[in-house]
Amino acid sequence: MYPNRYINYTYISKIVTGDLFKNKDFKKRFNKLVWNIHIKPDEFEKKWDLIINEFNLEDKRCFKDMFELRDKWIPAYFSDTRMSGLMKTTSRLESMNSFFNTYS
């Protein structure tokens, strides 16, 4: 059950406004980190902190909330678990809509 990249990109681009999401370096590094299925959770957390600090996002509520829920949507936290068929696509969409609508 890996999250749908397009949908997450769409919602994240709505809540991350201004020059930040136009920043190609941020976008590339953020996406590379979030969708990396080959790293372990501790490495994800270190790299997340680096990006958050480098782009001065420590006070952004949306990033704090995303980090708090990381075990629900970051592949590094559930890559060893076979989850195919456990959740319908529409259920995932509704869950993600609920989370990201908080910030739009």
Side-chain angles (χ1 to χ4, degrees), residues 9 15-17 26 29 42 50 53 56 83 104:
Y9 172 81
I15 62 174
V16 180
T17 58
F26 169 78
R29 290 176 56 198
D42 59 330
L50 287 173
N53 292 326
N56 300 313
M83 302 178 82
S104 53

Side-chain angles (χ1 to χ4, degrees), residues 60-89:
K60 298 286 187 184
R61 180 177 164 218
C62 61
F63 285 97
K64 288 180 182 181
D65 289 348
M66 281 192 275
F67 185 76
E68 287 299 315
L69 296 171
R70 65 194 176 279
D71 63 324
K72 308 284 189 262
W73 68 285
I74 299 295
Y77 289 86
F78 53 87
S79 62
D80 294 336
T81 305
R82 186 166 188 256
M83 302 178 82
S84 62
L86 293 179
M87 184 184 286
K88 294 181 181 179
T89 302

Side-chain angles (χ1 to χ4, degrees), residues 7-104:
I7 292 167
N8 281 307
Y9 172 81
T10 301
Y11 285 109
I12 290 169
S13 67
K14 287 182 181 179
I15 62 174
V16 180
T17 58
D19 294 332
L20 180 62
F21 215 72
K22 294 177 185 174
N23 182 317
K24 290 181 182 180
D25 183 44
F26 169 78
K27 194 164 131 179
K28 180 180 177 182
R29 290 176 56 198
F30 185 79
N31 284 325
K32 185 177 179 181
L33 174 63
V34 167
W35 305 117
N36 189 340
I37 62 171
H38 302 291
I39 64 172
K40 299 292 180 198
D42 59 330
E43 184 180 355
F44 167 82
E45 292 173 13
K46 289 175 189 173
K47 290 183 177 186
W48 177 276
D49 285 340
L50 287 173
I51 291 173
I52 295 300
N53 292 326
E54 183 175 332
F55 291 95
N56 300 313
L57 302 171
E58 300 89 350
D59 296 329
K60 298 286 187 184
R61 180 177 164 218
C62 61
F63 285 97
K64 288 180 182 181
D65 289 348
M66 281 192 275
F67 185 76
E68 287 299 315
L69 296 171
R70 65 194 176 279
D71 63 324
K72 308 284 189 262
W73 68 285
I74 299 295
Y77 289 86
F78 53 87
S79 62
D80 294 336
T81 305
R82 186 166 188 256
M83 302 178 82
S84 62
L86 293 179
M87 184 184 286
K88 294 181 181 179
T89 302
T90 52
S91 298
R92 275 185 262 162
L93 295 176
E94 290 170 7
S95 175
M96 289 168 39
N97 283 339
S98 174
F99 174 77
F100 286 110
N101 282 337
T102 304
Y103 304 105
S104 53

